[in-house]
């Protein structure tokens, strides 16, 4: 059975403004638990592409830790399939009439994995630490002035400015609540040396057991979880870098759950009664970006030339397989109420690209090239194939591109931290609220390491984030799209779709219970009776 899941982030604004058994679940076992005579799942195995860099889910971006973190830790609200924030540690929240105070009400009786109580003080300490140390998503708190914990079950945000996207962003990435008694330890003033970097203590549905580098991370169910102990006894994240190997392991029953399929395999499970298939377009977008702090790409006309030269349709034809789509707008097409047809990505035009390069003062050399640049990118998913099409497209326009594909860690050191690059390629989430575009083009955005800086853009982004009136927000993001079309800080290459095949014997996987689970959370997985 195939299900199409429509991601409705655009609607969020109005609503939220201010190693185990082979085959894992094939062999259910009986164990002592709160639920008498309840059949449980012995071992459930899923796949990650690589090793987590640590087990601190907030310190820096780590996509390999991301699915594990959703099972080890909690957030105030968590982001469910459909990009909808739903309650997690908090049961509710409310904004003050002037939208300058945001109050969360926490669950009572929540415990850390070591038995200590989780209180509002942990929440305040976590967020204050993220802000003070400029951890991964410190930009989430750009409009937050102070955070208070007036009692154990209440957290209050005092705002510098209203922020319509704050709750969705708190539900998303790198905002997991950490135990202050573990991390605020005088014996480890350097967070990187804290033992919890490798042996985490969380509050989530599963507890850490062991990490085997290059092999797996194993968790066990938390019998005291506030949402009830999961039926899965052991949750294993098997490290399988090669996507084709992962698909074969999934088909052979060696792993139970798979969220990343190669393009060629996107339709392998269609109309197969042994699987329930969830297919959808997401807010995740692949794009090309530039080092705008130095020549040659400090000139917006040259960036526009690249946009005209790239054959984006060829990328979709090669990589889309009926799931991903051709990007037309500078914001995700899922934000339907904000799309502006006056500011769209340009259709391919080699002559226009060359004319723009000549306006930049460039002339063809004896080999027929206006310039030679390097595209530094990391090996991930379809990046290598996409980069090859970019290289071929730009060659036709007279730009010679040398490809440098590297490991993610090396890319991070050279490109993201070292700022030593001409062009690079990224894929990433641009939500859950439309204000999430700030992370890519805002001056202090967590993924703006390119040197792009525009006072006009900053003003438009602030206007969009700080207003809840849909008409005012529309004006603001119209301006954002206009400026992106002129400045071209990023060139969109692909609106990424996703296919998740779920084995028919399972129920309660995230896309089956989007009203209860986060996107990679396995609290509710059961065997169908």
């Amino acid at each position: 059975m195939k299900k199409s899941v429509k991601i409705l982030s655009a609607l969020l604004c109005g609503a939220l403004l201010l190693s185990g058994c082979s085959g894992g679940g094939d062999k259910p076992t009986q164990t002592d638990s709160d639920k008498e005579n309840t059949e449980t799942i012995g071992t459930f195995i899923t796949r990650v592409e690589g090793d987590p860099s640590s087990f601190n889910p907030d310190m820096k971006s780590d996509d390999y830790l991301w699915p594990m973190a959703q099972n080890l830790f909690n957030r105030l609200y968590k982001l469910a399939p459909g990009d909808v924030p739903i309650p997690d540690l908090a049961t509710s929240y409310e904004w003050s009439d002037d939208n300058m105070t945001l109050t969360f009400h926490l669950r009572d009786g929540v415990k850390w994995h070591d038995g200590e109580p989780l209180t509002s003080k942990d929440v305040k300490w976590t967020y204050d630490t993220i802000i003070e140390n400029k951890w991964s998503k410190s930009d989430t708190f750009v409009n937050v002035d102070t955070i208070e914990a007036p009692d154990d079950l209440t957290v209050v945000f005092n705002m510098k400015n209203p922020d319509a996207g704050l709750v969705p962003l708190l539900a998303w990435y790198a905002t997991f609540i950490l135990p202050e008694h573990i991390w605020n330890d005088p014996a480890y003033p350097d967070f990187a040396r804290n033992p919890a970097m490798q042996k985490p203590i969380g509050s989530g549905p599963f507890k850490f057991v062991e990490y085997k580098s290059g092999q797996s991370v194993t968790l066990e169910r938390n019998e005291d979880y506030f949402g009830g102990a999961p039926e899965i006894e052991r949750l294993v994240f098997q490290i399988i870098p090669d996507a084709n190997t992962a698909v074969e392991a999934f088909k052979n029953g060696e792993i139970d759950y798979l969220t990343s399929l190669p393009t060629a395999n996107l339709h392998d499970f269609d109309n197969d009664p042994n699987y329930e298939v969830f297919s959808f377009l997401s807010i995740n977008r692949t794009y090309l970006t530039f080092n705008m702090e130095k020549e040659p790409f400090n000139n917006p006309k040259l960036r526009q030339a690249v946009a005209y030269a790239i054959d984006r349709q060829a990328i979709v034809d090669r990589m889309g397989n009926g799931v991903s789509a051709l990007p037309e707008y500078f914001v995700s097409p899922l934000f339907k109420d904000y799309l502006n047809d006056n500011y769209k990505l340009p259709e391919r035009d080699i002559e226009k690209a060359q004319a723009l390069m000549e306006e930049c003062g460039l002339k063809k050399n004896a080999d027929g090239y206006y310039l030679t640049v390097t595209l530094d990118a990391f090996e991930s998913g379809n990046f290598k194939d996409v980069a090859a099409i970019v290289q071929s497209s730009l060659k036709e326009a007279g730009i010679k591109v040398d490809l440098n594909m590297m490991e993610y860690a090396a890319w991070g050191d050279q490109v993201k931290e070292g700022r030593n690059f001409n062009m690079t390629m990224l894929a990433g989430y641009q939500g859950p609220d439309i204000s999430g575009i700030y992370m890519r083009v805002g001056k202090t955005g967590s993924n703006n390491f390119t040197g792009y800086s525009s006072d006009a853009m900053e003003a438009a982004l602030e206007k969009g984030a700080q207003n809840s009136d849909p008409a005012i927000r529309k004006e603001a993001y119209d301006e954002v799209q206009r400026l992106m079309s002129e400045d071209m800080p990023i060139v969109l290459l692909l609106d990424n779709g996703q296919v998740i095949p779920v084995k028919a014997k399972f129920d309660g996987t995230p896309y089956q219970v989007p009203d209860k689970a986060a996107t990679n959370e396995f609290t509710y997985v059961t065997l169908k009776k």
Side-chain angles (χ1 to χ4, degrees):
M1 176 176 17
K2 184 171 183 178
K3 293 187 178 181
S4 177
V5 179
K6 194 172 185 180
I7 307 301
L8 298 176
S9 289
L11 300 181
L12 282 176
C13 303
L16 293 168
L17 286 176
L18 318 207
S19 149
C21 304
S22 176
D26 287 335
K27 298 179 180 180
T29 60
Q30 295 287 340
T31 62
D32 295 328
S33 71
D34 297 345
K35 308 171 187 176
E36 248 183 85
N37 300 320
T38 298
E39 190 174 49
T40 62
I41 299 171
T43 300
F44 187 87
I45 304 174
T46 186
R47 174 248 182 172
V48 288
E49 291 183 40
D51 292 86
S53 60
S54 79
F55 287 95
N56 182 318
D58 298 338
M59 188 176 288
K60 62 181 180 179
S61 298
D62 188 346
D63 288 347
Y64 300 150
L65 177 61
W66 169 238
M68 304 172 199
Q70 293 178 61
N71 295 278
L72 284 164
F73 300 93
N74 296 100
R75 292 156 282 185
L76 289 180
Y77 268 59
K78 58 188 177 183
L79 200 65
D83 299 304
V84 177
I86 60 176
D88 197 7
L89 288 176
T91 58
S92 64
Y93 69 88
E94 70 265 355
W95 285 97
S96 61
D97 290 342
D98 61 0
N99 291 321
M100 293 298 289
T101 304
L102 173 62
T103 302
F104 287 93
H105 305 284
L106 306 186
R107 298 179 189 274
D108 195 4
V110 178
K111 295 180 180 180
W112 294 106
H113 292 158
D114 61 2
E116 292 293 317
L118 186 156
T119 74
S120 60
K121 293 179 181 178
D122 294 296
V123 179
K124 172 178 167 54
W125 181 87
T126 297
Y127 292 156
D128 283 345
T129 302
I130 290 172
I131 296 166
E132 180 182 351
N133 292 278
K134 294 183 170 56
W135 283 0
S136 177
K137 287 293 177 282
S138 58
D139 56 344
T140 293
F141 304 91
V142 65
N143 288 309
V144 175
D145 187 12
T146 61
I147 301 170
E148 298 176 4
D151 61 60
D152 284 353
L153 300 179
T154 307
V155 179
V156 179
F157 286 72
N158 300 302
M159 308 298 294
K160 300 174 187 173
N161 303 289
D163 191 338
L166 180 57
V167 173
L169 286 171
L170 287 174
W172 179 45
Y173 197 88
T175 55
F176 294 94
I177 307 307
L178 301 175
E180 181 182 5
H181 69 281
I182 297 294
W183 286 97
N184 191 17
D185 186 341
Y188 302 102
D190 180 355
F191 291 116
R193 296 183 180 277
N194 193 302
M197 289 288 282
Q198 296 303 319
K199 294 182 178 180
I201 298 293
S203 58
F206 294 90
K207 299 180 178 182
F208 178 82
V209 176
E210 67 175 350
Y211 164 44
K212 295 180 179 179
S213 180
Q215 299 180 49
S216 63
V217 174
T218 301
L219 313 181
E220 65 182 5
R221 69 179 177 187
N222 178 6
E223 299 287 354
D224 296 322
Y225 185 55
F226 62 78
E231 289 196 13
I232 295 171
E233 294 178 317
R234 292 173 301 280
L235 177 59
V236 177
F237 292 87
Q238 191 166 329
I239 298 167
I240 308 176
D242 182 71
N244 294 313
T245 301
V247 170
E248 288 307 307
F250 180 67
K251 290 179 177 180
N252 294 337
E254 296 167 20
I255 60 176
D256 297 306
Y257 190 76
L258 188 64
T259 60
S260 181
L261 295 174
T263 301
N265 301 103
L266 290 176
H267 298 290
D268 284 9
F269 306 94
D270 292 358
N271 304 312
D272 187 329
N274 295 306
Y275 298 90
E276 185 176 3
V277 179
F278 296 86
S279 177
F280 53 92
L281 191 68
S282 77
I283 306 176
N284 188 295
R285 317 185 84 192
T286 300
Y287 63 95
L288 192 72
T289 189
F290 314 89
N291 188 333
M292 288 167 264
E293 294 181 325
K294 63 182 182 181
E295 295 182 347
F297 290 114
N298 57 348
N299 189 331
K301 284 188 177 180
L302 185 55
R303 304 194 294 266
Q304 290 176 19
V306 171
Y308 276 103
I310 291 177
D311 190 346
R312 294 180 295 116
Q313 187 62 57
I315 294 172
V316 176
D317 292 345
R318 176 86 176 270
M319 308 299 164
N321 201 358
V323 177
S324 296
L326 178 73
E328 298 181 84
Y329 299 92
F330 288 93
V331 297
S332 169
L334 296 172
F335 296 119
K336 291 183 178 180
D337 292 343
Y338 293 95
L339 303 180
N340 191 314
D341 287 328
N342 294 320
Y343 311 116
K344 299 173 73 172
L345 284 155
E347 295 185 4
R348 195 179 193 214
D349 187 333
I350 295 295
E351 290 184 1
K352 176 68 172 177
Q354 293 177 333
L356 284 166
M357 285 190 281
E358 289 177 4
E359 287 181 30
C360 295
L362 300 176
K363 301 294 181 185
K364 284 186 178 180
N365 62 18
D367 296 322
Y369 294 114
Y370 288 98
L371 76 161
T372 298
V373 297
T374 300
L375 171 56
D376 295 294
F378 53 90
E379 299 271 7
S380 177
N382 58 21
F383 270 25
K384 189 172 184 179
D385 291 332
V386 172
I389 296 174
V390 170
Q391 180 186 45
S392 175
S393 296
L394 295 184
K395 181 178 181 180
E396 291 180 47
I399 301 175
K400 182 181 178 183
V401 177
D402 296 323
L403 294 184
N404 178 30
M405 304 300 296
M406 48 181 53
E407 294 291 330
Y408 180 80
W411 175 88
D413 289 342
Q414 178 185 316
V415 177
K416 193 168 185 178
E417 301 299 329
R419 312 289 177 96
N420 179 21
F421 70 104
N422 296 136
M423 294 191 301
T424 192
M425 192 166 65
L426 286 171
Y429 192 61
Q430 296 189 12
D433 179 74
I434 190 172
S435 59
I437 190 64
Y438 183 90
M439 293 178 286
R440 312 285 163 174
V441 297
K443 286 183 180 180
T444 60
S446 56
N447 281 298
N448 180 9
F449 53 86
T450 62
Y452 176 66
S453 179
S454 161
D455 290 340
M457 176 66 79
E458 206 69 11
L461 291 167
E462 288 179 3
K463 180 179 177 180
Q466 295 173 15
N467 284 279
S468 57
D469 185 319
I472 296 176
R473 295 196 99 202
K474 178 68 165 64
E475 290 177 1
Y477 291 107
D478 282 349
E479 178 68 359
V480 167
Q481 291 170 82
R482 184 188 72 80
L483 290 166
M484 290 181 74
S485 70
E486 292 182 0
D487 296 344
M488 205 65 69
I490 64 177
V491 178
L492 279 305
L493 304 176
L494 198 64
D495 276 315
N496 294 305
Q498 192 171 3
V499 173
I500 298 178
V502 178
K503 293 179 180 181
K505 64 184 178 182
F506 291 121
D507 203 354
T509 62
Y511 287 86
Q512 292 171 309
V513 289
D515 59 330
K516 296 197 296 184
T519 53
N520 291 89
E521 180 191 351
F522 300 106
T523 308
Y524 308 101
V525 176
T526 64
L527 285 169
K528 287 183 179 176
K529 304 298 188 281

